[in-house]
């Protein structure tokens, strides 16, 4: 968050006459001119944007394990609504303290799509899916998100990635689908259907968020989306807490806090800034690494057994990431 400062420099202009032309008189008190040398290296916008997007992916990779922890003491509806309310308090407080003006009217439709897809739709659908699916299984299914985001971006923004880009994306998607089918025994269930629906709404939210981040700072995009969803999330939280039991444990509290602060706010801040810098399609392909990171977290944090095919899938996905990041 940077303020736009402007400085007005004043200069003295010496005006000469034909008889006595103006000459520059050296100032003996002036400091000697700095030696001319190579300009300091600056970080490329592409490199900086990729780093921000990668930080977002790292934050998102913890979402499913954190959800599993939160579900140990709360119901799915309580987790989804309460995480959004807590994130909205954080984002709304930042907007108020910094006295950020309301976005222009033309941006509110896109912010509503972000709220519906990223704040409400994706968290709700994936949390419901995790009641019947393991974290590792859900992670590999959601690995299709980069392809759905790139397709949504092409339709929404008119982006036209190269054939190499699409070929590498499709290969990565095939790897993820094959991994998911092998793990589920070839029979997708209710959890898979919920996850596929989550892919669609999240891709729409990512696309609109990445587009808006070219006009607004990334943290304001998700911040206003969280605030816009407050009437729904506050009402949902009140109903969920009154109808469903809550059993607070160290895991459930830690999981909920990470979902609110890390996944729902800070992760999306750096993610949207990264997408604005390097493009929605390229940033989305970095998410091919997200299911693999989630698999690691599921082993370390949840004690799940890593599927034998995971290392092979990891290598294939990493190759796809390298190809898509180099293609235009």
């Amino acid at each position: 968050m940077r303020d736009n400062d402007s400085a007005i420099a004043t200069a003295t202009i010496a005006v000469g006459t034909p008889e006595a032309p103006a000459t520059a008189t050296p100032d003996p008190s002036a400091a000697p001119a700095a030696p001319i040398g190579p300009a300091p290296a600056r970080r490329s916008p592409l490199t900086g944007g990729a780093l921000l997007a990668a930080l977002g992916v790292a934050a998102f990779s913890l979402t499913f394990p954190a959800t599993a922890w939160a579900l140990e003491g709360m119901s799915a509806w309580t987790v989804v609504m309460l995480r959004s309310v807590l994130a909205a308090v954080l984002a709304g407080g930042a907007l108020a303290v910094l006295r950020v003006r309301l976005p222009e009217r033309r941006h509110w439709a896109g912010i509503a799509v972000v709220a519906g897809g990223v704040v409400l739709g994706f968290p709700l659908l994936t949390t419901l899916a995790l009641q019947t699916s393991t974290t590792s299984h859900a992670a590999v299914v959601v690995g299709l998100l980069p392809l759905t985001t790139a397709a949504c971006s092409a339709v929404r923004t008119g982006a036209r990635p190269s054939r190499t880009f699409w070929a590498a994306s499709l290969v990565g998607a095939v790897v993820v689908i094959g991994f998911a089918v092998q793990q589920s025994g070839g029979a997708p269930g209710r959890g898979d259907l919920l996850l596929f629906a989550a892919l669609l709404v999240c891709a729409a939210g990512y696309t609109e968020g990445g587009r808006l981040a070219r006009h607004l700072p990334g943290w304001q995009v998700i911040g206003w989306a969280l605030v816009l969803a407050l009437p729904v999330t506050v009402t949902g939280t009140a109903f969920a807490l009154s109808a469903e039991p809550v059993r607070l444990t160290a895991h459930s509290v830690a999981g909920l806090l990470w979902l609110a602060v890390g996944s729902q706010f800070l992760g999306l801040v750096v993610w949207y800034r990264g997408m604005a810098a390097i493009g929605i399609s390229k940033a989305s392909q970095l998410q091919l690494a997200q299911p693999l990171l989630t698999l690691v977290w599921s082993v370390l944090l949840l004690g799940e057994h890593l599927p034998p095919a995971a290392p092979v899938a990891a290598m294939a996905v990493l190759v796809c990431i390298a190809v898509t990041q180099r293609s235009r």
Side-chain angles (χ1 to χ4, degrees):
M1 295 174 283
R2 297 176 299 179
D3 296 330
N4 293 326
D5 300 326
S6 62
I8 302 176
T10 58
T12 302
I13 304 175
V15 181
T17 63
E19 293 80 13
T23 59
T25 303
D27 185 358
S29 62
I36 299 176
R42 294 183 179 180
R43 176 182 293 180
S44 166
L46 182 62
T47 302
L51 176 60
L52 289 172
L55 289 175
V57 170
F60 299 152
S61 69
L62 279 163
T63 298
F64 286 174
T67 301
W69 273 9
L71 287 174
E72 291 180 9
M74 309 172 201
S75 69
W77 288 93
T78 301
V79 171
V80 172
M81 296 301 167
L82 195 53
R83 68 180 270 188
S84 297
V85 169
L86 293 176
V89 170
L90 177 62
L95 291 169
V97 169
L98 296 173
R99 299 181 180 180
V100 178
R101 290 185 295 180
L102 289 171
E104 298 177 20
R105 181 178 300 179
R106 62 192 178 97
H107 295 321
W108 279 107
I111 292 174
V113 173
V114 175
V118 177
V119 176
L120 296 173
F122 184 79
L124 178 60
L125 292 169
T126 53
T127 302
L128 292 173
L130 284 173
Q131 291 183 315
T132 57
S133 299
T134 64
T135 300
S136 57
H137 181 81
V140 293
V141 174
V142 174
L144 291 175
L145 185 57
L147 182 59
T148 55
T149 302
C152 186
S153 171
V155 173
R156 178 67 179 87
T157 67
R160 293 294 181 267
S162 66
R163 293 181 180 179
T164 302
F165 178 95
W166 284 115
S169 300
L170 287 172
V171 171
V174 168
V175 170
V176 170
I177 292 174
F179 185 84
V181 169
Q182 187 267 336
Q183 292 300 305
S184 62
R190 174 177 174 272
D192 291 318
L193 297 179
L194 290 171
L195 291 170
F196 288 136
L199 291 175
L200 298 178
V201 298
C202 190
Y206 278 176
T207 299
E208 285 302 306
R211 186 184 64 82
L212 287 171
R214 298 173 181 172
H215 308 282
L216 302 171
W219 75 275
Q220 292 183 21
V221 173
I222 185 58
W224 287 118
L226 287 164
V227 171
L228 183 63
L230 262 179
V232 175
T233 55
V234 168
T235 303
T237 299
F239 276 108
L241 290 176
S242 63
E244 300 169 339
V246 175
R247 184 173 57 88
L248 297 181
T249 64
H251 275 183
S252 62
V253 173
L256 181 64
L257 288 178
W258 177 258
L259 291 174
V261 179
S263 299
Q264 194 77 74
F265 185 61
L266 295 180
L268 286 168
V269 168
V270 294
W271 174 243
Y272 282 145
R273 289 192 65 181
M275 282 200 295
I278 66 176
I280 298 172
S281 296
K282 282 185 176 294
S284 68
Q285 299 313 301
L286 289 174
Q287 277 198 305
L288 284 171
Q290 184 175 323
L292 306 172
L293 291 174
T294 301
L295 287 175
V296 175
W297 295 126
S298 68
V299 172
L300 296 178
L301 300 178
L302 304 176
E304 295 184 4
H305 296 289
L306 189 66
V312 178
M315 292 302 298
V317 167
L318 289 176
V319 169
C320 292
I321 291 176
V323 173
T324 55
Q325 291 302 300
R326 291 179 178 276
S327 64
R328 295 183 180 272

